[in-house]
Amino acid sequence: MSETFYITTAIDYVNGAPHLGHAYEKVITDVIARSRRSLGREVFFLTGLDEHGQKVQQAAAAEGRDPQAYCDDLAVAWKAMAARLDLTHDDFIRTTEERHRSTVQTLLAKLHREGRFTTGTYEGWYSYKEETFLTEKDRLPDGTFPAVYGDVTPLTERNYFFPLREHQEWLIQHLEDHPEFIQPDFRRNEVLGFLRSETLEDLCISRPKSRLSWGITLPFDTDYVTYVWFDALTNYISVPAARGDPGITGILGLPGIAGAPSLWPAVHVIGKDILKFHAVYWPIMLRVAGIPLPRQILAHGWWQKDGQKLSKSTGNVVDPMAVIDEWGVDAFRYYVTRELDLGADGNWTDAGFAARYQAELANGLGNLVNRSLKMLVSYRAGRVPRPSGDLQAEARAAVQATREAYDGFRLQGALQATWELVTRANKFVEETAPFKMAKDPAKAARLDEVLYALVETCRILAVMLWPVIPGTSARIYQQLGLETAPDRWVSTEWGGLAEGHAVREPQALFPRKDLAKP
Ligand code: MSP
């Protein structure tokens, strides 16, 4: 099994602009990737775009454009978002890239050769809007189909199918034997419940080109393109394949690359709405192809705003770029990571965001760093005194608890554990009142101890916070006069600041905002 910690996000549909939900998923995945790197692991972080399908074909046509050119333009905006969010992805896959197309076709050809697909004629109802076949079960009591499906038309169509039924038992067994495979537990139980109570239908894997041309051609029938999931899910292996991962190339019969990294299997971070595809279809596709199953699937919750679904049509949206313009990227990263436990749904309120910014970032962390450095500059000309041990035990406990939380993907818990130290250190300032001590020469030695404890705590906090607010961590290190980056967990060891080291004049990390502003 690969030593690299390979982590992926869902690949976003390219139609439309990125919103809070997309940004959230990418940020938490980045936090996990950074935390593993900080802890010394080799990490490979993949994100990207899902560019095929009817919606893209229609959106491009509506603008009178070629779908590839349409995707190329939108991809620029999505990649800009990734950069703006400070993501540390190692690759960005677009499903219209040749390296992806060739892996999808290789996989399909292999499964076809091995007799894994069947053909069948579908006769029923079709929703163009949702690109899905509907059955009588989908009708409302009044006989119509729900409005989300738009115009529903009768359709008779021959397609290729992937039978899933025969895989149900081993998949149930796998979920039972590997409780960590799907996290959080309540999501795993949902999948298990579904698998135990329903019989898996054959998965339709094709669309005739006469109806949908914007897709990857089936290598064994050029009248068809492959439909959604065989295309989208395969991104997780097409990047390892293109990079020569021997665990994938060997199985798919692709050319090897000497010294290529072993990436697969991955940890997939996805939203709860696409859990079934990742936890049921994807493992079956992999198993049938002879590829090891994913390491883990982490299903996050969904955001609403002000208790309502995010929706462009009603204007109930949060534009991550606008929030970042106003508050800074770290405030955004902090809020979304701190607000939700992985798996839980969230509710964005502007007031809640501003309150956390003010209380936790500006008055909590920002104030601690600012006053600790200010006092050192004022009372000791910015020179670090001899190491002392105040706050050392508290720092060690917080480091330990934060690390355990990161290990268990409890990102909210990690921030809570870190903030115990922020709060404790701010309290320590009130308790020891260094500003009073500074007036009394007899207390000089004690003041040295207090000042050391404070600046060293700030330094350790910078390291602990790097996965979530990397820019702020780097600024704390700069203000501490350190040349290195706060990106190594080992530097949480107490005593990193040496006696005599010179810090800089502090600058506000989180400028206070006028909350009265409408
Ligand atoms: N293209 C598919 C995924 C293919 S993965 C092989 C897709 N795209 S999407 O753009 O609709 O969604 C991308 C991700 O964003 C999904 O994981 C989805 O759950 C997440 N979110 C979309 N809206 C969301 C919220 N309102 N809140 C949180 N995450 C949400 O599905």
Side-chain angles (χ1 to χ4, degrees), residues 32 47 55 59 149 176 197 206 234 246 293-294 351 363 447 466 482 485:
I32 296 170
T47 187
K55 281 188 188 156
Y149 294 116
E176 284 173 349
S197 64
S206 64
T234 304
L293 303 193
N363 298 341
L447 180 59
W466 183 77
L482 296 166

Side-chain angles (χ1 to χ4, degrees), residues 10-13 19 21-22 25 50 236 271 273 300-303 310:
I11 48 172
D12 300 318
Y13 287 130
H19 65 53
H22 305 123
E25 176 178 286
D50 194 353
Y236 302 133
D273 57 319
H300 63 74
W302 265 43
W303 282 91
L310 299 178

Side-chain angles (χ1 to χ4, degrees), residues 6 8-11 46 93 100 229 231-241 248 264 266 268-270 274 278 282:
Y6 175 30
T8 68
T9 68
I11 48 172
L46 175 67
I93 182 78
H100 176 69
W229 294 102
D231 180 344
L233 290 162
T234 304
N235 92 85
Y236 302 133
I237 58 168
S238 55
V239 168
I248 301 290
W264 188 259
H268 298 309
V269 180
I270 51 148
I274 52 175
H278 285 78
W282 181 227

Side-chain angles (χ1 to χ4, degrees), residues 55-281:
K55 281 188 188 156
V56 173
Q57 185 175 306
Q58 282 168 350
E63 292 181 18
R65 304 193 60 197
D66 164 60
Q68 186 66 61
Y70 173 85
C71 289
D72 289 349
D73 277 359
L74 279 173
V76 172
W78 283 83
K79 283 185 174 175
M81 177 180 83
R84 199 72 211 288
L85 291 172
D86 242 345
L87 304 187
T88 52
H89 50 291
D90 298 283
D91 205 335
F92 190 102
I93 182 78
R94 296 179 54 196
T95 54
T96 52
E97 287 170 328
E98 175 55 26
R99 59 179 178 158
H100 176 69
R101 192 188 60 77
S102 64
T103 308
V104 171
Q105 290 191 328
T106 305
L107 177 66
L108 287 166
K110 174 179 158 72
L111 299 190
H112 181 252
R113 237 184 0 255
E114 293 168 0
R116 302 299 194 161
F117 300 136
T118 58
T119 52
T121 298
Y122 179 84
E123 249 190 284
W125 301 91
Y126 190 76
S127 153
Y128 281 90
K129 183 160 173 267
E130 290 301 308
E131 291 182 54
T132 187
F133 289 106
L134 300 172
T135 66
E136 293 303 319
K137 274 194 289 184
D138 297 304
R139 284 188 194 275
L140 295 171
D142 68 1
T144 63
F145 287 103
V148 295
Y149 294 116
D151 282 341
V152 173
T153 35
L155 195 74
T156 303
E157 195 169 276
R158 180 179 168 274
N159 271 306
Y160 289 88
F161 291 85
F162 182 44
L164 303 174
R165 206 160 307 166
E166 62 205 82
H167 302 287
Q168 209 150 340
E169 282 314 309
W170 69 252
L171 187 54
I172 291 173
Q173 194 63 48
H174 184 78
L175 296 191
E176 284 173 349
D177 293 347
H178 302 89
E180 76 296 341
F181 183 62
I182 301 172
Q183 283 296 311
D185 279 336
F186 72 97
R187 292 282 173 221
R188 167 176 164 268
N189 292 336
E190 268 174 30
V191 176
L192 265 174
F194 162 77
L195 282 170
R196 287 184 186 129
S197 64
E198 312 260 332
T199 303
L200 290 174
E201 304 274 343
D202 295 355
L203 181 69
C204 182
I205 65 151
S206 64
R207 290 291 183 269
K209 277 193 186 164
S210 52
R211 194 151 71 67
L212 173 69
S213 58
W214 187 235
I216 296 176
T217 301
L218 290 188
F220 47 86
D221 189 338
T222 53
D223 289 338
Y224 289 83
V225 294
T226 190
Y227 172 66
V228 183
W229 294 102
F230 254 92
D231 180 344
L233 290 162
T234 304
N235 92 85
Y236 302 133
I237 58 168
S238 55
V239 168
R243 289 171 173 265
D245 179 343
I248 301 290
T249 54
I251 293 163
L252 293 183
L254 296 166
I257 301 176
S262 234
L263 300 178
W264 188 259
V267 173
H268 298 309
V269 180
I270 51 148
K272 61 180 183 179
D273 57 319
I274 52 175
L275 178 58
K276 188 163 109 184
F277 303 102
H278 285 78
V280 178
Y281 302 165

